[in-house]
Amino acid sequence: MVHDEDDDRAFMQWALAVHAPAVGRITVHPAPTAAAPAALAHDLLRALGKHLPWAGSPEGTCWMRDARSAWRAAAAWVQALEIGHVVLTRAHLVTAAHLRRLFALAHLTGIRLTLVCHGPLTPAAAAAVESQRPVKVYTLAAARNLAPAEPVRPVPGRFAWWEPAPFPPPPAEPCFRLPGHVPLPTECLVAVARRLHSRIAHPQHAAALAAQLMTNQSLEHVLALSPSAFTPEAVPGWAAALIEAGRRFKDLDGRVGSPFLFRLSGWDRIAVAEAALACGLKEHQLRPPRRHARLTAATTKGS
């Protein structure tokens, strides 16, 4: 717990500078007036580079209003993306209820938490923090020892999920059919994978689209696949974290023994379709028979 008793700008600069998702450390900068039950989970998702649905239907975005789903999504991504350290700024403005959820997330995932307080905590929040028996530091030098703000190198061979795709999507962005007549080349798959990471906050929705790209099959096909179809050997590097996030969310959702990796409700399917469009993926439609061909068949039948 870092105490910035004088609200010194240098503490905030340090906290923002140590954001390094490539090595498993993120800085969460919460909205100052966010009190909704899912608000801090949304802040975590944004710190992980995820954009919440921005133009979806009420059915496709309903999961965001459910605090349990939002926190499970955050936990699934934290585990799948191998996040080990979370720095929370403005911790003195975070409600006790949000802090308790954050502590539960830390207990579940094993992450290290650093709370940066720029003012006094409320009594309820202080009691929640003290229950964790935090180590307290009061100087910038001590804070820098907790997390040095210096250049870091990512793990070699790991897919760079932290490199964002542009958002909102640019008008001239290439689009792809899903599934297509032929598999996409690797460079296209990597570009689309970055879109899935950046533009889809729900782990199961992102994983379902990744599975379609992997198999070049329809959504109905991948929904029928068992988890054994997604072994580490069968999943390419660009899709590994996406599939793992979907698996983690399934387990957190109480479906550890499920024979399928995905179980998408009606609203989930709406959300997946909307997410596909946001990522430049369009459902392939079979062309209807040409009109003159139908006329020829009818004429032949009647002659």
Side-chain angles (χ1 to χ4, degrees):
M1 187 172 179
V2 177
H3 286 272
D4 172 21
E5 297 178 334
D6 297 322
D7 197 10
D8 187 343
R9 180 183 296 180
F11 279 85
M12 181 64 78
Q13 291 174 333
W14 158 77
L16 297 178
V18 299
H19 180 74
V23 294
R25 183 170 65 234
I26 62 171
T27 296
V28 181
H29 194 52
T33 58
L40 188 57
H42 293 170
D43 292 326
L44 272 162
L45 291 170
R46 293 187 185 97
L48 290 166
K50 314 299 175 188
H51 287 90
L52 298 174
W54 61 286
S57 65
E59 295 85 359
T61 59
C62 64
W63 71 271
M64 295 190 305
R65 299 185 293 273
D66 176 33
R68 294 181 66 186
S69 294
W71 279 98
R72 286 173 181 169
W77 284 119
V78 163
Q79 292 174 311
L81 300 178
E82 301 179 18
I83 301 300
H85 189 179
V86 172
V87 178
L88 177 69
T89 68
R90 290 177 173 169
H92 64 295
L93 299 178
V94 176
T95 67
H98 279 140
L99 287 174
R100 284 192 289 269
R101 286 186 179 271
L102 185 62
F103 298 151
L105 175 74
H107 178 74
L108 173 69
T109 62
I111 58 172
R112 176 186 176 190
L113 274 177
T114 298
L115 307 183
V116 186
C117 297
H118 312 274
L121 293 163
T122 65
V129 171
E130 290 302 322
S131 70
Q132 304 300 307
R133 299 180 180 179
V135 175
K136 300 177 182 180
V137 300
Y138 296 86
T139 67
L140 185 58
R144 286 172 174 159
N145 286 332
L146 294 174
E150 57 187 27
V152 293
R153 294 182 179 180
V155 178
R158 189 179 177 198
F159 180 73
W161 60 266
W162 53 87
E163 295 180 2
F167 188 87
E173 181 176 78
C175 294
F176 304 97
R177 293 290 181 185
L178 188 65
H181 294 296
V182 294
L184 293 177
T186 301
E187 61 270 18
C188 292
L189 289 172
V190 168
V192 175
R194 289 201 175 99
R195 299 180 195 177
L196 300 183
H197 272 290
S198 296
R199 300 174 189 172
I200 307 178
H202 195 294
Q204 281 261 303
H205 303 166
L209 289 173
Q212 284 188 261
L213 289 165
M214 275 176 50
T215 62
N216 199 28
Q217 297 291 338
S218 68
L219 180 62
E220 295 303 321
H221 175 86
V222 300
L223 292 180
L225 295 175
S226 70
S228 62
F230 300 97
T231 62
E233 296 76 20
V235 178
W238 63 264
L242 295 164
I243 296 297
E244 182 62 17
R247 191 193 311 275
R248 295 280 186 171
F249 187 88
K250 174 185 73 74
D251 294 346
L252 291 170
D253 207 28
R255 291 178 280 139
V256 176
S258 172
F260 305 106
L261 180 59
F262 306 103
R263 187 180 69 185
L264 301 183
S265 64
W267 67 261
D268 275 309
R269 292 173 186 242
I270 293 172
V272 170
E274 293 174 351
L277 290 177
C279 292
L281 299 172
K282 297 183 178 180
E283 189 73 23
H284 176 68
Q285 299 291 339
L286 294 177
R287 292 182 179 179
R290 291 179 297 176
R291 184 173 182 272
H292 72 81
R294 292 199 300 269
L295 291 173
T296 300
T299 303
T300 302
K301 184 178 180 180
S303 60

